[in-house]
């Protein structure tokens, strides 16, 4: 029973890390990456759809994203979606593809992004701590119901803590890497 709780916690912790990676991927660090467009939704036959599902998104140069829609009729909709997004990028269309030039970041903007990265990392740590609390509560319930011994409960809680420590370290590593990427000139 304790092993099931720990396995469930580990699965939830993995999802927290995956969510953090997605968040970091959508932050513009002065370098072009297709993941910048992950949150940009295009109206595709009445359904909000991510750009990467209605077009080929590639990075031909370090500071340029090339978007080639699968249907020419989507060009205008994709341009509009990019303009409405919080990316602050201006799409340039040549009729067959859309080019997004990624400008150099100012020092001030870099510092704002580093703060945002720190905030996102802290949110991930809070989520991880909540998962720890849920896991420990479930183990304590089993102990109270006399389904496991006090020793098993302690070992289970220690295992949960080791897992949490590992994932907090992962969050810190991801945060440091993203901050370094942002501050590179």
């Amino acid at each position: 029973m304790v092993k099931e709780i720990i396995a469930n916690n580990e699965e939830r912790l993995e999802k927290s890390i995956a969510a953090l990676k997605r968040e970091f991927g959508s932050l513009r660090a002065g370098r072009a990456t297709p993941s910048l467009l992950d949150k940009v939704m295009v109206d595709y036959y009445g359904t909000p759809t991510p750009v990467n599902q209605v077009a080929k998104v590639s990075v031909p140069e370090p500071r340029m994203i090339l978007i080639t829609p699968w249907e020419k009729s989507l060009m205008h909709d994709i341009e509009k979606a990019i303009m409405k997004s919080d990316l602050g990028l201006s799409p340039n269309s040549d009729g067959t593809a859309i080019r997004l030039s990624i400008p150099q970041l100012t020092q001030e903007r870099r510092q704002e992004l580093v703060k945002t990265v720190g905030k996102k990392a802290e949110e991930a740590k809070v989520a991880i701590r909540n998962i720890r609390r849920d896991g420990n509560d479930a183990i304590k319930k089993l102990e109270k119901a006399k389904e496991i011994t006090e020793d098993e409960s302690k070992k289970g809680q220690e295992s949960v803590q080791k897992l949490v420590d590992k994932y907090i370290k992962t969050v810190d590593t991801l945060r440091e890497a993203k901050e370094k990427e942002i501050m590179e000139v």
Side-chain angles (χ1 to χ4, degrees):
M1 284 183 191
V2 173
K3 284 183 177 163
E4 290 167 13
I5 292 169
I6 292 170
N8 179 29
N9 272 12
E10 188 159 20
E11 189 179 314
R12 290 175 61 198
L13 290 165
E14 281 294 335
K15 287 178 183 172
S16 293
I17 295 296
L20 181 66
K21 285 179 180 176
R22 277 193 307 277
E23 287 286 338
F24 283 177
S26 67
L27 288 175
R28 187 161 59 94
R31 189 178 292 135
T33 62
S35 62
L36 277 177
L37 300 173
D38 284 354
K39 291 183 177 178
V40 178
M41 298 296 206
V42 179
D43 184 43
Y44 185 63
Y45 296 109
T47 307
T49 310
V51 170
N52 62 6
Q53 291 183 15
V54 295
K56 178 183 174 211
V57 179
S58 60
V59 181
E61 299 171 26
R63 296 202 178 279
M64 181 176 293
I65 297 176
L66 183 66
I67 304 163
T68 313
W70 291 317
E71 294 178 31
K72 296 281 181 258
S73 61
L74 288 171
M75 289 286 285
H76 182 67
D77 291 337
I78 293 173
E79 285 181 72
K80 253 182 14 190
I82 292 168
M83 298 281 261
K84 280 200 290 191
S85 75
D86 61 354
L87 291 175
L89 299 173
S90 300
N92 297 325
S93 172
D94 64 6
T96 57
I98 299 169
R99 285 176 177 70
L100 294 176
S101 294
I102 311 292
Q104 267 293 65
L105 293 174
T106 63
Q107 192 60 31
E108 189 177 295
R109 180 69 180 133
R110 287 177 196 275
Q111 288 168 341
E112 283 175 30
L113 282 172
V114 166
K115 284 181 188 170
T116 303
V117 165
K119 199 162 49 175
K120 301 276 184 208
E122 196 50 47
E123 288 169 9
K125 286 181 180 181
V126 168
I128 288 170
R129 289 184 198 113
N130 287 339
I131 293 168
R132 173 183 59 196
R133 186 197 58 225
D134 294 346
N136 285 342
D137 288 351
I139 290 170
K140 287 174 187 172
K141 264 187 197 162
L142 289 176
E143 183 188 349
K144 263 192 182 141
K146 304 272 188 242
E147 293 180 38
I148 61 172
T149 66
E150 191 177 329
D151 286 348
E152 289 172 320
S153 173
K154 289 266 185 275
K155 280 182 187 161
Q157 289 177 48
E158 285 171 11
S159 296
V160 167
Q161 186 58 48
K162 280 181 188 163
L163 211 52
V164 165
D165 291 344
K166 175 182 148 191
Y167 282 90
I168 295 252
K169 206 174 273 182
T170 302
V171 168
D172 288 337
T173 305
L174 290 171
R175 188 197 79 237
E176 287 167 16
K178 189 65 178 182
E179 286 176 356
K180 185 178 176 205
E181 178 187 332
I182 288 169
M183 294 311 282
E184 280 177 1
V185 180

